[in-house]
Amino acid sequence: MVNKEIQTAKQSAPEQRGNGRGGRGVVREVVVSRTQQLSPHLKRVVLTGDSLSDFPEDQEGAYVKLRIDQGSEKLIMRSYTIQAFDPSTRELALDFVVGQHVGPATDWADTVSVGQKVSIGGPGPRKMDCFGASAYLLVGDLTSINAVTAYANLIDSSATVHVFLEAPSSEDFLVIDWPKNVQVSWHLAEKGKHDSIVEAVKQMESLPVDTHVFIASEASVFRELRRFVRDNVGLPNEQLFASAYWKEGKDSDQLSMDKLQDTI
């Protein structure tokens, strides 16, 4: 998962290092053990290290903060959803969108090599935490694919789950082993156009009243579909998690500023 980048001073606050309690306040030094190009625009980076000896299990869909040293006593922190963690090998897998967005974290993932060191914070909690409703609508793209897949697997098997995903090329349509109660459709975003996924979701006008919705996508998709769910479907805010993970033509700092100014 991709969230906003935060620039902060290295010595701004005390940090718990090493093997602490396994929570959000822990900063762990790790090393890249391997990488894998999953598709033209999605790359997996696997991290390992003794500091992961007490990393909590079953955290798929939660997030860690990747901490990238920028020099001059500054660092960049960016949130990424946990794809998998193997306690037996102490390996933590994160997926990065490459060749589509700009920013220090994307650049790091694009050029990172085995043996390179980095630090992470976390894990932090999942954005969605209710998995016992009767119906779900999950909307995402490559930036949020790990959150969507994790939630789909956590949702009760008796629920109806509709998943809408977007990718910049058909070669990015990932083959995933979804639960049997999950209906999935992929949509192509060509030349910055997101009409396909927006129109497909808008066909879902009759949703059960207890439907829970997760939207994590490009800013225009987030804006259109959040409005649709609130105004046309009429679901309450407590059943909706929606966030713009990126924005066409803007980097992470500009997106963060737009969020602060409520101009997404």
Side-chain angles (χ1 to χ4, degrees), residues 5 10 12 84-85 151 226 241:
E5 289 177 345
K10 286 182 180 178
S12 59
F85 174 64
Y151 298 161
R226 183 180 63 171
F241 172 82

Side-chain angles (χ1 to χ4, degrees), residues 179-207:
K180 293 181 179 179
N181 61 320
V182 177
Q183 301 178 48
V184 181
S185 64
W186 281 93
H187 301 268
L188 194 61
E190 294 184 289
K191 299 179 180 180
K193 301 292 185 180
H194 304 275
D195 298 344
S196 176
I197 191 170
V198 170
E199 293 307 314
V201 174
K202 285 184 176 181
Q203 300 302 311
M204 304 280 298
E205 292 188 2
S206 299
L207 295 174

Side-chain angles (χ1 to χ4, degrees), residues 75-122:
L75 60 81
I76 294 293
M77 294 194 297
R78 195 167 183 177
S79 299
Y80 280 89
T81 305
I82 297 166
Q83 190 274 331
F85 174 64
D86 185 344
S88 65
T89 59
R90 297 178 182 175
E91 287 190 314
L92 178 71
L94 308 175
D95 293 342
F96 297 78
V97 175
V98 295
Q100 185 180 15
H101 309 142
V102 295
T106 299
D107 294 344
W108 177 87
D110 200 24
T111 60
V112 72
S113 57
V114 172
Q116 190 166 332
K117 295 179 180 180
V118 72
S119 62
I120 58 170

Side-chain angles (χ1 to χ4, degrees), residues 134-180:
S134 69
Y136 290 84
L137 172 62
L138 310 178
V139 183
D141 55 25
L142 295 185
T143 65
S144 56
I145 185 67
N146 287 342
V148 172
T149 55
Y151 298 161
N153 280 281
L154 287 166
I155 290 169
D156 190 276
S157 60
S158 65
T160 299
V161 185
H162 292 277
V163 172
F164 295 84
L165 293 167
E166 186 181 60
S169 77
S170 59
E171 294 177 327
D172 292 302
F173 292 179
L174 304 176
V175 178
I176 296 171
D177 185 16
W178 298 94
K180 293 181 179 179

